[in-house]
Amino acid sequence: MLLTVGSPTLAAYSLTLTVLNGRWIARRFSSYTFPNTREAVRILSSLQQSPLQINTRHSLLASLIVLPSNDEWWRELVEWLDYTHSWSISAVTSIAWVIIAYIFTVIDSFIGDITVSINANGQGVGSLWIWLLPIVIGWLQISPKCSTTRLYQAMKRANNIAYVATPFGTQVLASSSSGEYASSSSGEHANSSSGEHANSSSGQYASSSSGQHAISLRQGVEDPLYDDENCTIPIYNYARFLPWVQAVEDVSDAFRAASGRARRRIPVNPDVIWQKGERYPNNLHPENRIGTRHQVEEYCLPFEESPSPYHRTGWGPNVFSRIMLASFMALLLQWGLGCRSGSYLLYGSVSTAVWMLLLISSFLTHYVSTTPHLSLKTTLARRLALLLRRLGKVLAALNAAWIVVTCLFQFSNFFDRCYCNSSVLGRGVKSWDVIAFGPEDVTNMKAAWIGGVALAAGSAACVVFFVNLFIDPQMPESSA
């Protein structure tokens, strides 16, 4: 709460980044035709608020994607993550009352005698806090999955039914003519029937295989460098952004390779004849997706006919374009505030500084995480990341206290004194005070207020419109 109030810029940045990520991942997977592509998009998008980690070793990820016995894993996890904390009668009522109160405040500012209560007027304070509306409305529409307990329970339940291909299991050979399994070239005996996919010949439970999982949530990490990543509160999406993109890229690369081979009718087991599967998801017969651990792993590796359209880097594709756009929307919301001169400008400046410190901290954390060898550079980057993060949070707490005190000062007429009314802080020795307001002064003041209200309300409306524009991207076709 203190971090949000202390830096609306950071809150708006995380909100906008979450919306952009949802649209990016939908477009990223839109060309894939392998089963469970749609489910993968929904799952990965829902896990933006969690410390997601991907394990590509021991064919864990490849097995999760390729083996037909894991179709249930994708369906079940989508269902278990399909919970929302969205609109309710109380939420709608609260937001409606805020909007109505702000409208009445603005109307009262213009129809009453503004010279009477100019220093204790609520119009400026209302414009100052209007940034809360797009932030609250945006998160209600996104409905982030930020319940730590439910997220870990959902992942645990799903991973209990995940299969992994066995390293020395039989190769499932299917004969389109006889419909029976034959022995493999190595002489191993096939003991599965054509209707069974989740047996010991093609896979075994991943949980009993190695104690590791292809897709899981990081836990038990005591390193303070990852405290913000592990916290599932939505405002910390700024810290999870870069590692989340890398995790999505791991899954995307595997789906791309599998989709490319499936489109060319290449089965997992090269010794098996491709079987038609019109009545199966994506017209892909389950027997085309069965093989040994090595074959399953090879199926998800890039090949010449299906290269990655992007050069894989330590940052990820389209990362900086999303950062720039999210930053623009965050600054638009922050600097579209109403103003009580220096106090409000200081609040906006510190809010922006907090956002910049934490953003730089997330870059440094990602650099340390992706650098395999310990060196002087990584040590300095680690210490600087922790320093900037702690400094940013301290500034956010102080800034939150400052803006509350500022609002109290304004309503208590604390600013109604010669020093403040003369704008000595900005004008210096050239400052002067208005003793009596003339008609021209009142007209100019109302014009300035109209501009301030339009800027505050307009910037908030722009953020709400932006979120609604990107919040519901076109998903890949269902595999059902």
Side-chain angles (χ1 to χ4, degrees), residues 200-279:
S200 60
S201 64
S202 60
Q204 64 184 22
Y205 277 120
S207 58
S208 62
S209 173
S210 61
Q212 299 176 333
H213 308 290
I215 299 178
S216 61
L217 305 182
R218 184 173 61 240
Q219 56 182 339
V221 179
E222 302 296 336
D223 194 336
L225 188 66
Y226 304 106
D227 284 349
D228 283 9
E229 290 183 31
N230 295 334
C231 185
T232 57
I233 299 175
I235 195 174
Y236 290 108
N237 280 8
Y238 83 91
R240 287 182 290 266
F241 171 58
L242 294 174
W244 178 84
V245 170
Q246 292 298 313
V248 170
E249 278 298 282
D250 288 336
V251 180
S252 174
D253 288 345
F255 266 101
R256 181 187 301 110
S259 297
R261 288 183 168 88
R263 278 195 294 265
R264 289 162 178 79
R265 298 187 175 183
I266 302 175
V268 174
N269 188 339
D271 297 327
V272 173
I273 299 176
W274 180 269
Q275 294 199 23
K276 297 181 179 180
E278 288 81 1
R279 64 188 183 90

Side-chain angles (χ1 to χ4, degrees), residues 140-193:
L140 284 174
Q141 289 183 290
I142 295 174
S143 185
K145 310 300 185 293
C146 51
S147 172
T148 304
T149 302
R150 297 191 65 169
L151 283 171
Y152 279 94
Q153 286 179 347
M155 289 302 306
K156 182 178 180 180
R157 292 175 63 182
N159 283 328
N160 283 337
I161 59 173
Y163 290 88
V164 60
T166 57
F168 305 108
T170 60
Q171 298 179 10
V172 182
L173 300 176
S175 172
S176 58
S177 58
S178 63
E180 298 177 354
Y181 294 120
S183 60
S184 66
S185 58
S186 61
E188 296 170 304
H189 180 70
N191 59 2
S192 63
S193 63

Side-chain angles (χ1 to χ4, degrees), residues 116-145:
V116 175
S117 58
I118 186 172
N119 289 287
N121 189 279
Q123 184 263 338
V125 175
S127 298
L128 170 71
W129 289 97
I130 201 172
W131 62 264
L132 277 171
L133 282 178
I135 298 297
V136 173
I137 292 174
W139 285 125
L140 284 174
Q141 289 183 290
I142 295 174
S143 185
K145 310 300 185 293

Side-chain angles (χ1 to χ4, degrees), residues 43-190:
I43 289 171
L44 293 174
S45 183
S46 297
L47 294 177
Q48 289 191 64
Q49 283 73 45
S50 59
L52 178 64
Q53 61 180 8
I54 305 297
N55 190 347
T56 59
R57 295 174 297 176
H58 310 302
S59 76
L60 288 171
L61 180 61
S63 298
L64 192 65
I65 293 173
V66 173
L67 295 182
S69 53
N70 282 322
D71 290 349
E72 184 182 2
W73 185 95
W74 297 96
R75 292 192 299 266
E76 291 297 317
L77 186 55
V78 166
E79 181 178 349
W80 291 330
L81 291 177
D82 189 20
Y83 66 91
T84 59
H85 297 287
S86 188
W87 297 99
S88 63
I89 296 178
S90 60
V92 174
T93 303
S94 299
I95 292 174
W97 274 119
V98 170
I99 296 175
I100 293 172
Y102 180 68
I103 293 175
F104 284 163
T105 301
V106 173
I107 293 175
D108 180 68
S109 299
F110 290 104
I111 64 175
D113 186 359
I114 62 175
T115 63
V116 175
S117 58
I118 186 172
N119 289 287
N121 189 279
Q123 184 263 338
V125 175
S127 298
L128 170 71
W129 289 97
I130 201 172
W131 62 264
L132 277 171
L133 282 178
I135 298 297
V136 173
I137 292 174
W139 285 125
L140 284 174
Q141 289 183 290
I142 295 174
S143 185
K145 310 300 185 293
C146 51
S147 172
T148 304
T149 302
R150 297 191 65 169
L151 283 171
Y152 279 94
Q153 286 179 347
M155 289 302 306
K156 182 178 180 180
R157 292 175 63 182
N159 283 328
N160 283 337
I161 59 173
Y163 290 88
V164 60
T166 57
F168 305 108
T170 60
Q171 298 179 10
V172 182
L173 300 176
S175 172
S176 58
S177 58
S178 63
E180 298 177 354
Y181 294 120
S183 60
S184 66
S185 58
S186 61
E188 296 170 304
H189 180 70

Side-chain angles (χ1 to χ4, degrees), residues 333-359:
L333 180 63
Q334 174 67 73
W335 291 101
L337 301 174
C339 59
R340 179 56 174 154
S341 191
S343 299
Y344 292 174
L345 289 176
L346 178 61
Y347 175 66
S349 300
V350 175
S351 170
T352 305
V354 169
W355 161 71
M356 292 182 64
L357 290 173
L358 294 180
L359 183 62

